[in-house]
Amino acid sequence: MTGSLESPGVLVVGAGPTGLTAAMELSRLGVAVRIVDRAPEPSPTSRALGVQARTLELLRVRGVGDELLRAGNRASATTLYARGRRLAALHFDRMASDFNFILLLAQSETERLLAEQLATQGVKVERGVEVVGLQQGPGDVQVRLRTTHGDQETVTAAYVIAADGAHSPIRKALGLPFEGRSMTHNYVLGDVHLVGGVPEDQLSIFLAPNGFLAVFPMGDGRFRFMATDPDGLAGEAPEPDLTAIQRLYDRVAPIRAELYELNWSSRFRINSRHMTTLRSGRVFFGGDAAHVHSPAGGQGMNAGIQDMINLAWKLAMVLDGRAHEHLLDTYETDRLPVITQLVRMTERATTLFNSTNPVAHAALTALAPRLLGRSAVQDKAVPRLGQLAATYRNAPLAAGGGRTGSLRAGDRVPDSEVTTVAGEHRRLYDLLDLSRLTLLTATGDAPEQYLNIVAVQHVSAGVDGWWLVRPDGYLAAAGRAGDQRTMTRWLDRWFIPRSAATG
């Protein structure tokens, strides 16, 4: 097996989108990292499909977003159909982002692009390697690994990231709860091609009292189907055939279409669960290991990627002595409220859309056009789907950070256009130093003792006063020009001044 980690280092367990993002971020930040996965090969199936606006904003500046955009198919809306007609639509172009759409791309392709970026940073996924033992000490974690050939080694890591899936062996070994429930419906899933009038630039959702069907366009005539089958129309085969999926489609969809070339199919049941903590000592949890929920709205994979972008910069700054260890506690206090809200939101949406109760169905189909016809409803719902509305403003890391205009500490900073003092028009995120905090200001500078923590970008337009922006694109603190006290107080709480770090 590969040699041991340099010390200190991080072991990432699981090479799905969550684990790959963790390893990519940590290695880019100079942290020694290994990533292992017990599967001998990457999964070839598409599974998660939607890459949301917030994820694209964060991955673009990390070298992956442009490739994702080239490979994926853009959907500009989600359209609801029922009673044989179009009811209403959610329009993603209302999102205040350059990525005002949902990008539809097979998870296998997302993983491939993340793994390729990781490889350019000098890290390769070690496959066919599983964790068979874990013991935490006061300053490290001893992890026993075993290959499919039976070879074993013990790795010493400063921290472990468990991104090992919904059945996380690490979570189970530590005896941590995974609270929630299994939802009632069984689902049929399939990737097919079709000829017909189903749009390729929108998600199509068909509602009926005897079944629900969602159709996701993946480009070039290929679609993902997800359907309930409450009365067993598709039979009981674990991998329904093309005829069965055509029957499910014909039952609820008013748009004529002929399905062909079934690539794969399966059945699944939705679990709606999440951990009550994201940390156990030196082990952190993210992605499906920490939260699983309905695929409604394409939220899960994005949440896992954003888990790791939140965690990685904090780990890197603690490991190199620039931040206090208690900064790591803010991973949980930032992300757990977002995850809890996400699980509840997707569970409610699934219960509503999948209901076979005639009264509930009639109410939904009557109210949907009225509600989605309101601009206020669209303006609230669409940013939530794009994960632009998620905020950490009530978390401890935002406390005392102040505000600027409508932005409060902990809010997402929009990737808007700013003007540098040299007169250049730049995207705000292109000015961020992703390895430390970035101070955007027209005048002034960072406190001298924190110049190893804060990069300074002088801008002449687009920023009021000064903004201190986190590497994950959220506002850390803000204030009026000349008000350095707010900034210093906030930095003092979480970070180690240069004199203390070096002396």
Side-chain angles (χ1 to χ4, degrees):
M1 294 183 66
T2 304
S4 62
L5 280 170
E6 300 171 27
S7 184
V10 178
L11 176 67
V12 178
V13 182
T18 301
L20 289 167
T21 300
M24 180 184 75
E25 276 292 271
L26 290 167
S27 62
R28 184 182 59 77
L29 293 169
V31 176
V33 63
R34 282 178 69 177
I35 176 169
V36 301
D37 193 291
R38 62 181 174 178
E41 299 291 340
S43 173
T45 57
S46 58
R47 293 174 288 163
L49 280 183
V51 185
Q52 301 291 353
R54 183 58 179 154
T55 302
L56 289 168
E57 287 181 345
L58 294 170
L59 291 182
R60 179 186 70 83
V61 290
R62 288 164 170 84
V64 183
D66 290 342
E67 291 298 324
L68 288 168
L69 290 169
R70 279 191 281 270
N73 184 50
R74 304 180 188 194
S76 60
T78 291
T79 302
L80 301 179
Y81 298 85
R83 301 177 179 177
R85 60 185 174 86
R86 180 185 182 277
L87 289 182
L90 272 173
H91 298 284
F92 304 139
D93 60 5
R94 303 176 78 98
M95 285 191 285
S97 171
D98 283 352
F99 307 107
N100 55 354
F101 48 83
I102 291 181
L103 186 74
L104 296 166
L105 181 65
Q107 181 177 324
S108 54
E109 283 296 285
T110 300
E111 291 179 4
R112 178 183 65 81
L113 293 172
L114 289 169
E116 287 179 357
Q117 178 63 31
L118 180 61
T120 67
Q121 296 171 192
V123 179
K124 185 177 180 181
V125 177
E126 300 172 46
R127 295 201 169 272
V129 179
E130 64 176 329
V131 173
V132 294
L134 183 148
Q135 184 173 355
Q136 298 200 59
D140 57 35
V141 189
Q142 301 287 319
V143 185
R144 195 163 72 254
L145 303 177
R146 182 174 63 203
T147 71
T148 52
H149 303 295
D151 299 328
Q152 293 196 30
E153 73 165 312
T154 298
V155 172
T156 300
Y159 297 97
V160 171
I161 293 176
D164 51 345
H167 301 289
S168 172
I170 294 177
R171 187 188 67 235
K172 292 177 180 178
L174 293 174
L176 298 172
F178 201 39
E179 297 182 351
R181 66 188 181 98
S182 296
M183 303 189 74
T184 54
H185 285 293
N186 287 305
Y187 291 81
V188 171
L189 205 63
D191 275 10
V192 303
H193 285 72
L194 69 77
V195 174
V198 180
E200 290 204 52
D201 62 349
Q202 68 178 39
L203 282 65
S204 300
I205 296 178
F206 303 98
L207 308 174
N210 60 344
F212 159 92
L213 172 68
V215 182
F216 306 89
M218 299 170 68
D220 299 323
R222 183 183 171 197
F223 290 79
R224 159 73 64 81
F225 278 60
M226 184 179 77
T228 58
D229 187 17
D231 51 7
L233 187 66
E236 299 195 5
E239 298 178 357
D241 62 17
L242 185 63
T243 301
I245 296 175
Q246 181 79 59
R247 283 199 295 266
L248 292 174
Y249 178 82
D250 291 340
R251 175 170 62 182
V252 299
I255 303 171
R256 293 181 59 84
E258 179 182 348
L259 314 186
Y260 69 99
E261 198 174 314
L262 175 65
N263 295 297
W264 67 274
S265 68
S266 66
R267 294 180 184 272
F268 74 101
R269 174 168 284 181
I270 292 173
N271 279 292
S272 185
R273 304 178 185 276
H274 66 85
M275 297 180 70
T276 55
T277 179
L278 300 181
R279 181 182 186 184
S280 177
R282 290 180 167 266
V283 180
F284 297 87
F285 293 84
D288 287 353
H291 46 87
V292 293
H293 38 81
S294 166
Q299 304 291 296
M301 179 181 71
N302 297 272
I305 289 171
Q306 290 173 46
D307 288 345
M308 295 301 102
I309 291 177
N310 182 290
L311 174 62
W313 67 270
K314 299 171 181 177
L315 272 174
M317 295 186 84
V318 168
L319 284 167
D320 70 8
R322 289 183 293 162
H324 296 292
E325 207 274 343
H326 61 254
L327 179 66
L328 299 180
D329 294 332
T330 69
Y331 168 59
E332 178 176 304
T333 54
D334 274 356
R335 293 298 296 167
L336 193 55
V338 172
I339 289 164
T340 302
Q341 183 183 59
L342 187 61
V343 170
R344 289 174 181 166
M345 179 186 77
T346 55
E347 189 171 312
R348 286 195 297 265
T350 300
T351 300
L352 179 65
F353 286 123
N354 293 183
S355 176
T356 56
N357 182 301
V359 176
H361 176 74
L364 173 62
T365 54
L367 289 174
R370 300 178 196 173
L371 290 174
L372 295 181
R374 297 177 181 174
S375 291
V377 173
Q378 294 266 347
D379 290 342
K380 184 174 182 179
V382 171
R384 291 187 70 180
L385 280 173
Q387 298 194 352
L388 301 174
T391 179
Y392 309 135
R393 61 166 56 176
N394 296 318
L397 188 54
R403 65 187 303 161
T404 174
S406 62
L407 279 182
R408 288 170 51 185
D411 287 350
R412 160 189 168 262
V413 174
D415 187 17
S416 55
E417 185 178 277
V418 296
T419 305
T420 69
V421 292
E424 296 178 299
H425 300 293
R426 301 283 300 277
R427 303 303 303 174
L428 188 149
Y429 281 27
D430 289 331
L431 298 179
L432 298 183
D433 185 327
L434 302 180
S435 65
R436 51 184 172 160
L437 301 156
T438 302
L439 175 63
L440 299 166
T441 181
T443 60
D445 219 327
E448 185 176 353
Q449 70 271 31
Y450 284 115
L451 290 178
N452 62 326
I453 307 296
V454 178
V456 180
Q457 290 283 356
H458 290 107
V459 296
S460 60
V463 172
D464 297 323
W466 57 263
W467 298 5
L468 191 61
V469 184
R470 297 164 26 166
D472 55 0
Y474 290 83
L475 188 67
R480 299 184 303 274
D483 170 25
Q484 203 174 65
R485 184 179 301 177
T486 298
M487 188 192 316
T488 303
R489 277 200 308 260
W490 186 87
L491 289 166
D492 285 343
R493 183 177 179 188
W494 304 104
F495 299 95
I496 299 171
R498 181 163 53 182
S499 57
T502 58

